């Protein structure tokens, strides 16, 4: 297999009252008053965007056209146990008009395609729910 770099995301974060995060390409420029819940929200937005792309790939591989109302809602929990911090995640996915069994197959395939899903697999508790 020949590795090919597709994209490098570059961000800069600053702390304090005027803290924020911005990307080098200007697509992201937000104020972050506190590191949390911003980190969990940003992670959820990034993961759900990646997962949506993976759903599109999985559907395309099966010659399925995803409906316009397809959506992914991510919920990222920051937890603490005896001073140790960890995450839990829920991905709630809507694929209206697609047979539920086919949609579930797409959800599973998307996890095997999405780099965020691969990175978190076995590292955090993830529940994926078809709405």
């Amino acid at each position: 297999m020949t590795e090919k770099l597709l994209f490098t995301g570059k961000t800069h974060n600053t702390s304090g009252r005027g803290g924020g995060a911005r990307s080098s390409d200007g697509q992201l420029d937000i104020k972050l008053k506190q590191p949390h819940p911003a980190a969990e929200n940003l992670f959820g937005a990034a993961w759900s965007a990646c997962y949506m792309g993976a759903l599109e790939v999985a559907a395309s591989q099966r010659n399925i056209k995803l409906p316009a109302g397809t959506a992914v809602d991510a919920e990222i929990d920051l937890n603490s146990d005896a001073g140790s911090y960890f995450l839990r995640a829920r991905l709630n996915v809507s694929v209206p008009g697609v047979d539920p069994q086919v949609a579930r197959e797409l959800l599973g395939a998307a996890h095997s395609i999405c780099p965020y899903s691969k990175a978190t697999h076995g590292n955090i508790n993830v529940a994926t729910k078809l709405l």
Side-chain angles (χ1 to χ4, degrees):
M1 181 165 66
T2 303
E3 181 178 308
K4 179 180 177 184
L5 177 64
L6 299 176
F7 180 80
T8 299
K10 297 179 184 178
T11 59
H12 177 75
N13 282 275
T14 55
S15 64
R17 295 184 84 194
R22 69 176 182 273
S23 62
S24 62
D25 63 6
Q27 294 225 8
L28 176 69
D29 189 1
I30 60 173
K31 294 196 181 310
L32 303 174
K33 295 178 184 179
Q34 299 176 13
H36 301 283
E40 289 73 29
N41 288 335
L42 289 168
F43 184 64
W47 190 357
S48 60
C50 181
Y51 191 79
M52 178 68 75
L55 272 174
E56 291 169 353
V57 169
S60 175
Q61 290 172 342
R62 291 158 178 78
N63 294 316
I64 297 171
K65 182 170 173 36
L66 290 179
T70 300
V72 179
D73 294 315
E75 299 176 35
I76 308 297
D77 301 327
L78 174 63
N79 301 281
S80 175
D81 184 17
S84 177
Y85 298 96
F86 62 97
L87 299 174
R88 282 196 186 111
R90 288 171 304 288
L91 298 179
N92 299 304
V93 186
S94 176
V95 190
V98 174
D99 177 86
Q101 183 175 342
V102 172
R104 283 187 200 89
E105 290 173 13
L106 292 175
L107 270 57
H111 275 301
S112 67
I113 295 168
C114 175
Y116 282 78
S117 293
K118 290 178 184 180
T120 59
H121 183 75
N123 295 311
I124 68 172
N125 182 320
V126 180
T128 306
K129 180 178 179 183
L130 177 62
L131 302 178

